[in-house]
Amino acid sequence: MQGFLKSEFFFNYRRSASAIIGSALMLVFAVYVAFGPWLVAQNPHDIASLELLDSFKPPAWLEGGDPRYLLGTDGQGRDMLASIVYGARISVMIGVTAMLCSCLIGTLLGLLAGFYRGVIDSFIMRVADIQLSFPSILIALFLMSAVGTGIDKVLIALTAVGWVVYARTVRGSTLSEIEKEYVQAARVAGLPDRKIILKHVLPNVLTPLIVIATIQVGTFVLIEASLSFLGVGVPITQPSLGLLVKNGFDVLFSGLWWTSAFPGLAIMMLVFGINLFGDFLRDELNPRLK
Amino acid sequence: MLGYLTKRLIQMTIVLWVVSVIVFMMMSFTGDPVFMVVPIDATDAEIAQARRILGLDQSLLVQYVKFLTSIFEGDFGRSYVFRQPALELILQRMPATIEMVLVAMAFAVIVSIPLGVYAGAHPDSRISKTIMAGSLFGISLPGFWVGMMLIYLLAVQWGWFPSSGRGDTVEVFGLRLSLLTTDGWHHIILPAFTLSLATTAIILRITRAGMMEVGRQDYMKFARAKGVAPRDVLFRHGLKNSLIPVVTIFGLQIGDLIAFATITETIFSWPGMGKLLIDSIYRADRPVIVVYLMLVALIFVVINFLVDLLYTLIDPRITLK
C-alpha cells in the first residue's frame, strides 16, 4: 500500500481531474451494485410495495412533487430513484459479466491463434475480420431478434461481439512474445504447451487488455441499453437503465419527462465515468506515449 | 491491380456467402412465421397448407438452397406483412435512411475535423482539453436518449422542430428526396444531429491523434521554417498526411451510422429502412429481415473495398497487392 501511494501511477492519478471524476462516478455505481437495496426505501420490482395513488409524481422540487420521491415516480407509483438504483445494478452486472466472458474467450482464442499459427490462426482471424466489418450493435440486434429477450441472451449476444478485440490484441502480442528468449528457454526445458501458454505467455500479454476491458464495460452498457430500448434486450421483469428509458419514452409526449430523463442521465454518467477513467488508464499504461 | 481486384471480389463473395448462411441459420431459430400469415382461428390443415406454400415444411438444407437460388434469380421473397417483394419494400425506404446518414456524416465532418486539427496542433491548451473532454462525453451519450430529450425540449416544449416524420419530399428520378424542400430540412435536422454525435466524437479523436503523430515529423518543422502560413502547415502538410486513419474510421462510421439509424429512425418515426427492420423484427417478418441484412452486408463490403482504394489516392506510397 505504501508503495502504491508513492508510485508514479498514483501521483499522476492525483493530478488528473478526469481520472478522479471518472473513478468517483464509477464508485457511485459500484456502491449501487453492492448496497443498492439498502440505499432506497422501495423495492421497485415488488408490486406489493407500490402505491398506485403515487403514480406520475413529478420530482420533489417541482409543484406537486412528493418529498418521499426525489426524482418522481412512474405510472405504477415506482420511485424513479429506486428504479434507477435497481436498473443500474442490472446494467452494470450485464456490462461487467459480458466483459469478463468476452475477455476470457477472446484471450484464449488469441493465445491459441498466436501460439499455434497455421489453420487455427487463419480461421479465428478470418472470423474476426468478417465480424469487424459489421457494427457491433447490428450483430447484437440481429442475434437478439433471433433468440428473444433475456439477460442470459443479452450476455451471449454481447460476448459474441466482444471477444474479437481481445483475440486480435492477444494474438498480436503473443506472436511477438513467442519469439523472445524466455519462451524458447521454456520450450527447451521441455515444458508442455499448456504451461508455456498459461504461465509464461499469458502474464506478458495482459497489460493492454486492462484498458480494453475497462472501456468495453461502458460500450456494453450502451449496447445493452440500446437493445433494451428497442425491446429486444432485458425482459420487463428485470428492467435495466435502457428499458427504463424506453418505458419513459412511451409517456414522454404526455410531458412526463422525468421517467426517461433521469435513467438516461444515469446511463450517461456511468459510461462517461468509465470512459474518463479508461482514458486515463490508456495514457498511463501505454509506454509509447510516455 | 487486376489481380488485386479479382482477389478482393472473391473475398467479398465469400463474406457475403458466409453472411447468408449465418443469417439463414439464425432466422430459422426465430418464432414460427406461419402464425404471421394464418388467421388466429385457422385449422391445423390450413396451417399445414400455409407452411407448405411458404416452403417451411422442408428440411433446412433444401430451404437454404431454395433461398440461395431465388436470390440469384433476383427474387428475395415477399414480406409476410406487406405481401410485397421484400427487396422493393426496403429499396423504397432506403433513400430516407441514406439522406439521414449523409446529413449526419456532413454534420460530423464539419464539426470534428477543424476541432480535431486544433486539438492535435495545440495538445496542451485549455481549449483542446475541453474539446477532448467534450468528445469523451459525446461517446458516452446514449443516442436514443439524446434524441428523446431533443424531441421533448425542441419539439414538444418549444415547438422549434417537428417531432417525427420526414416532411415534404420531391420525386427525382423515381427517388423521393426530402433534402430538396425546406420542410424536409426542417424535419431532418434533429434526427441527423442525434445520429451524428458519436461519429463526431470518434472522428475528432482520430484526427487529433493523427495530427499529434504528424506534428513530430521533420517536414512539419521544415514547412514552418520556410515560412509557410501556419494554417497551410496544419491543413496542407499536417491534415493531408494524417488522413489515412481518418478515412478508415470514416468508412467504418458509415456502417455504424446505418446501424444506429435503426434506433434514431425508431425514435423520430423516420420512414427509413432502419425503422422497417425494427418493425419487421417485432412482426417476425423474416424475409424483410433477411433482405435487410444481406443488403447492409453488401453495402459494408463495398464501403470497405472503396476505403482500401481510397488509400492509394491519398498516399501514393501504398500499392494494392
Side-chain angles (χ1 to χ4, degrees):
Chain A
M1 195 60 203
Q2 201 63 37
F4 175 74
L5 290 176
K6 281 187 181 151
S7 68
E8 193 191 347
F9 180 84
F10 188 69
F11 179 75
N12 288 338
Y13 173 82
R14 275 194 324 187
R15 284 158 37 105
S16 160
S18 59
I20 293 173
I21 297 172
S23 48
L25 284 171
M26 284 165 73
L27 187 71
V28 170
F29 284 93
V31 169
Y32 282 180
V33 172
F35 308 108
W38 293 281
L39 294 177
V40 287
Q42 195 190 55
N43 176 0
H45 300 177
D46 177 14
I47 297 173
S49 73
L50 306 178
E51 288 283 348
L52 261 180
L53 281 176
D54 290 339
S55 64
F56 292 134
K57 288 248 189 265
W61 61 87
L62 291 179
E63 203 184 10
D66 186 323
R68 281 179 302 159
Y69 306 116
L70 181 63
L71 302 181
T73 61
D74 72 0
Q76 268 88 46
R78 270 187 211 102
D79 179 19
M80 282 319 292
L81 184 63
S83 296
I84 288 171
V85 169
Y86 276 75
R89 299 182 85 201
I90 297 172
S91 292
V92 170
M93 284 202 286
I94 289 178
V96 171
T97 315
M99 176 274 283
L100 290 175
C101 296
S102 309
C103 186
L104 199 71
I105 295 173
T107 306
L108 196 70
L109 291 176
L111 282 170
L112 291 177
F115 193 83
Y116 290 108
R117 314 286 324 259
V119 188
I120 308 179
D121 184 26
S122 357
F123 179 73
I124 296 176
M125 285 305 120
R126 282 303 81 73
V127 175
D129 282 346
I130 293 182
Q131 207 176 314
L132 274 186
S133 54
F134 297 94
S136 321
I137 181 82
L138 202 63
I139 300 177
L141 179 62
F142 165 60
L143 290 176
M144 291 307 293
S145 71
V147 295
T149 60
I151 287 187
D152 49 341
K153 290 162 186 164
V154 175
L155 289 176
I156 295 173
L158 291 178
T159 308
V161 298
W163 67 275
V164 180
V165 53
Y166 299 98
R168 283 170 75 105
T169 314
V170 168
R171 172 186 175 267
S173 351
T174 305
L175 283 179
S176 69
E177 287 302 319
I178 55 172
E179 296 300 321
K180 291 187 181 161
E181 278 156 3
Y182 75 95
V183 176
Q184 285 167 4
R187 281 193 210 226
V188 172
L191 285 182
D193 286 356
R194 192 172 53 87
K195 272 216 165 124
I196 301 179
I197 294 175
L198 294 180
K199 293 231 158 133
H200 297 266
V201 180
L202 181 63
N204 288 301
V205 298
L206 282 181
T207 316
L209 301 190
I210 299 174
V211 176
I212 299 178
T214 311
I215 298 205
Q216 193 178 55
V217 175
T219 317
F220 277 171
V221 167
L222 276 184
I223 296 181
E224 181 276 320
S226 308
L227 292 174
S228 298
F229 178 77
L230 289 171
V232 291
V234 294
I236 39 172
T237 47
Q238 290 158 308
S240 66
L241 292 173
L243 195 59
L244 291 178
V245 176
K246 177 198 160 52
N247 293 340
F249 185 45
D250 299 336
V251 295
L252 181 67
F253 289 93
S254 325
L256 308 165
W257 55 271
W258 58 90
T259 49
S260 51
F262 295 124
L265 213 59
I267 301 178
M268 193 200 75
M269 292 196 310
L270 170 60
V271 179
F272 189 47
I274 293 173
N275 281 338
L276 275 176
F277 191 68
D279 218 39
F280 166 74
L281 276 185
R282 190 202 326 261
D283 293 347
E284 282 308 298
L285 299 177
N286 189 344
R288 220 170 53 129
L289 294 174
K290 278 203 172 175
Chain B
M1 187 67 188
L2 200 67
Y4 172 79
L5 285 181
T6 332
K7 206 173 113 190
R8 271 311 285 264
L9 216 60
I10 296 173
Q11 264 179 16
M12 284 156 75
T13 320
I14 294 176
V15 169
L16 288 177
W17 174 71
V18 171
V19 171
S20 85
V21 174
I22 296 173
V23 166
F24 184 82
M25 292 288 293
M26 294 303 296
M27 279 297 111
S28 314
F29 291 129
T30 46
D32 197 337
V34 157
F35 296 103
M36 300 305 302
V37 234
V38 296
I40 304 174
D41 54 352
T43 61
D44 284 354
E46 281 170 335
I47 292 177
Q49 196 200 356
R51 185 163 281 148
R52 208 164 40 246
I53 292 170
L54 293 175
L56 294 169
D57 55 338
Q58 280 148 324
S59 76
L60 272 187
L61 191 67
V62 175
Q63 283 190 47
Y64 177 70
V65 172
K66 262 192 169 169
F67 165 71
L68 212 57
T69 35
S70 49
I71 282 185
F72 279 112
E73 286 162 0
D75 172 16
F76 292 83
R78 297 174 86 82
S79 156
Y80 298 148
V81 178
F82 295 91
R83 320 262 161 160
Q84 252 191 76
L87 184 65
E88 191 185 300
L89 210 61
I90 291 177
L91 289 181
Q92 275 168 5
R93 284 161 176 74
M94 205 155 110
T97 300
I98 304 271
E99 268 185 348
M100 190 159 90
V101 166
L102 287 181
V103 175
M105 203 42 150
F107 280 166
V109 169
I110 292 169
V111 177
S112 65
I113 301 273
L115 290 182
V117 169
Y118 182 87
H122 315 276
D124 293 320
S125 87
R126 183 156 291 190
I127 300 177
S128 300
K129 290 198 166 138
T130 316
I131 293 175
M132 291 316 287
S135 79
L136 211 57
F137 191 67
I139 296 176
S140 313
L141 287 171
F144 56 92
W145 178 73
V146 176
M148 286 169 56
M149 293 301 112
L150 289 177
I151 289 181
Y152 182 71
L153 287 177
L154 302 184
V156 178
Q157 287 289 313
W158 298 333
W160 292 355
F161 293 97
S163 66
S164 67
R166 200 179 164 202
D168 297 339
T169 54
V170 177
E171 194 144 332
V172 182
F173 304 120
L175 297 175
R176 303 192 66 81
L177 303 180
S178 56
L179 288 187
L180 297 175
T181 64
T182 20
D183 190 45
W185 273 99
H186 200 199
H187 279 81
I188 208 170
I189 286 179
L190 278 193
F193 173 74
T194 307
L195 188 59
S196 73
L197 280 177
T199 302
T200 308
I202 290 168
I203 298 185
L204 192 162
R205 296 179 80 79
I206 298 287
T207 312
R208 168 185 175 262
M211 287 301 288
M212 283 175 72
E213 196 90 27
V214 168
R216 285 194 279 267
Q217 305 289 327
D218 286 340
Y219 59 74
M220 292 288 279
K221 280 183 206 149
F222 183 74
R224 258 180 239 123
K226 79 176 180 189
V228 177
R231 194 203 296 184
D232 285 350
V233 176
L234 281 184
F235 283 89
R236 291 211 166 165
H237 297 254
L239 182 60
K240 209 173 162 193
N241 283 296
S242 56
L243 269 183
I244 288 275
V246 176
V247 168
T248 313
I249 290 292
F250 194 83
L252 286 175
Q253 282 300 310
I254 292 184
D256 269 21
L257 286 179
I258 293 176
F260 277 103
T262 53
I263 301 170
T264 317
E265 286 175 9
T266 306
I267 300 165
F268 287 92
S269 305
W270 186 261
M273 59 178 188
K275 187 173 183 326
L276 178 70
L277 173 76
I278 302 295
D279 291 344
S280 301
I281 288 176
Y282 291 149
R283 300 176 189 138
D285 198 349
R286 218 187 262 177
V288 180
I289 303 177
V290 171
V291 178
Y292 175 90
L293 290 169
M294 293 302 299
L295 194 71
V296 165
L298 180 71
I299 295 176
F300 291 168
V301 169
V302 171
I303 289 176
N304 286 343
F305 173 63
L306 291 179
V307 166
D308 282 358
L309 287 185
L310 257 182
Y311 288 166
T312 53
L313 289 180
I314 299 172
D315 190 343
R317 284 170 303 183
I318 297 178
T319 49
L320 300 171
K321 294 198 274 283

